[in-house]
């Protein structure tokens, strides 16, 4: 049996993730059936599940990849920039429209919750580290604990994801993100 190159395996994995992202965006988590995943990826279930243990594993791999990408941006430019990127290219994040299904599963499925939490650690850590650096540099308000600022930014991001997922008007959201950014900065004397 011929060996498959690492490049080929990585390309196939990327193909699966891209198709799955579109499928989850279009049908939600529950509606993204194996048949629909096959159609979206152009691959058989055997090919898909050769790379991913199951549908949860595929979904959590998307979460991990996006968390890694967002963590890179957040570490360098902050969580508000991640939100600006979402606003500028919502199609790159539209699978997050499954957020309500995710919330339900986080509440009711301990195994899923553990997997989701594991994937969220990197983003949370990157944002917290940036907030601490900004505070040390005197650019971040110091009258509120950094963890509270992080929770505030998380809530804003959840709201943005919900707004994008529901197709609501986003015309004024750039100005809202400006306001969010100003609210966490240190007041100038």
């Amino acid at each position: 049996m011929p060996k498959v190159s690492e490049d080929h395996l990585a390309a196939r994995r990327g193909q699966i993730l891209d198709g799955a992202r579109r499928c989850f965006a279009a049908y939600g988590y529950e509606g993204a059936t194996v048949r629909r995943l096959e159609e979206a990826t152009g691959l058989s279930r055997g090919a898909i599940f050769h790379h991913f243990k199951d549908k949860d594993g595929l979904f959590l791999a998307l979460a991990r990849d996006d968390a890694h990408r967002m963590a890179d941006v957040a570490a360098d430019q902050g969580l508000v920039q991640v939100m600006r990127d979402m606003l500028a290219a919502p199609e790159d994040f539209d699978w997050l429209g499954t957020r309500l299904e995710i919330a339900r599963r986080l509440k009711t499925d301990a195994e899923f919750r553990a997997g989701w939490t594991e994937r969220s650690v990197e983003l949370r850590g990157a944002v917290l580290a940036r907030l601490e650096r900004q505070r040390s540099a005197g650019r971040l308000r110091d009258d509120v604990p950094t963890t509270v600022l992080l929770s505030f930014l998380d809530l804003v991001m959840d709201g943005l994801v919900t707004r994008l997922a529901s197709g609501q008007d986003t015309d004024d959201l750039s100005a809202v993100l400006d306001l969010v950014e100003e609210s966490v900065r240190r007041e100038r004397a």
Side-chain angles (χ1 to χ4, degrees):
M1 176 178 271
K3 283 200 158 209
V4 178
S5 74
E6 289 298 318
D7 289 343
H8 177 78
L9 290 173
R12 180 59 53 94
R13 181 178 164 81
Q15 176 185 357
I16 294 167
L17 289 171
D18 289 344
R21 184 176 278 111
R22 288 189 308 274
C23 189
F24 287 125
Y27 301 106
Y29 181 84
E30 296 299 330
T33 62
V34 173
R35 180 178 302 280
R36 285 179 170 156
L37 286 166
E38 288 174 318
E39 291 169 4
T41 62
L43 299 169
S44 70
R45 72 185 59 212
I48 295 168
F49 297 119
H50 171 76
H51 293 272
F52 301 95
K53 177 182 166 192
D54 53 22
K55 189 167 110 174
D56 275 357
L58 177 56
F59 189 81
L60 292 171
L62 284 172
R64 183 183 57 246
D65 284 1
D66 280 3
H68 181 71
R69 182 171 35 124
M70 289 187 278
D72 286 347
V73 173
D76 188 46
Q77 300 171 52
L79 189 60
V80 173
Q81 185 58 49
V82 171
M83 290 184 258
R84 290 186 192 285
D85 291 350
M86 287 178 163
L87 195 54
E91 65 279 359
D92 292 343
F93 300 92
D94 56 2
W95 75 276
L96 287 172
T98 61
R99 200 73 164 189
L100 293 176
E101 291 170 292
I102 293 169
R104 178 189 57 78
R105 293 204 56 211
L106 289 173
K107 184 176 181 178
T108 61
D109 184 336
E111 186 177 336
F112 183 83
R113 181 174 45 254
W116 183 262
T117 301
E118 181 182 315
R119 270 80 179 164
S120 303
V121 166
E122 182 181 12
L123 177 58
R124 184 173 177 79
V127 173
L128 194 55
R130 175 161 169 89
L131 290 173
E132 293 293 348
R133 286 192 312 274
Q134 294 293 86
R135 176 167 278 165
S136 294
R139 293 187 287 262
L140 188 71
R141 61 189 296 172
D142 58 7
D143 61 327
V144 177
T146 310
T147 54
V148 171
L149 293 175
L150 176 60
S151 292
F152 169 67
L153 292 172
D154 280 344
L155 284 171
V156 171
M157 187 153 132
D158 285 346
L160 176 65
V161 168
T162 299
R163 174 74 63 99
L164 292 172
S166 66
Q168 295 179 37
D169 179 34
T170 59
D171 291 343
D172 60 346
L173 292 186
S174 183
V176 170
L177 292 179
D178 291 342
L179 181 63
V180 168
E181 212 162 32
E182 286 298 318
S183 72
V184 298
R185 286 193 185 139
R186 182 180 213 152
E187 282 189 37
R188 305 216 194 249

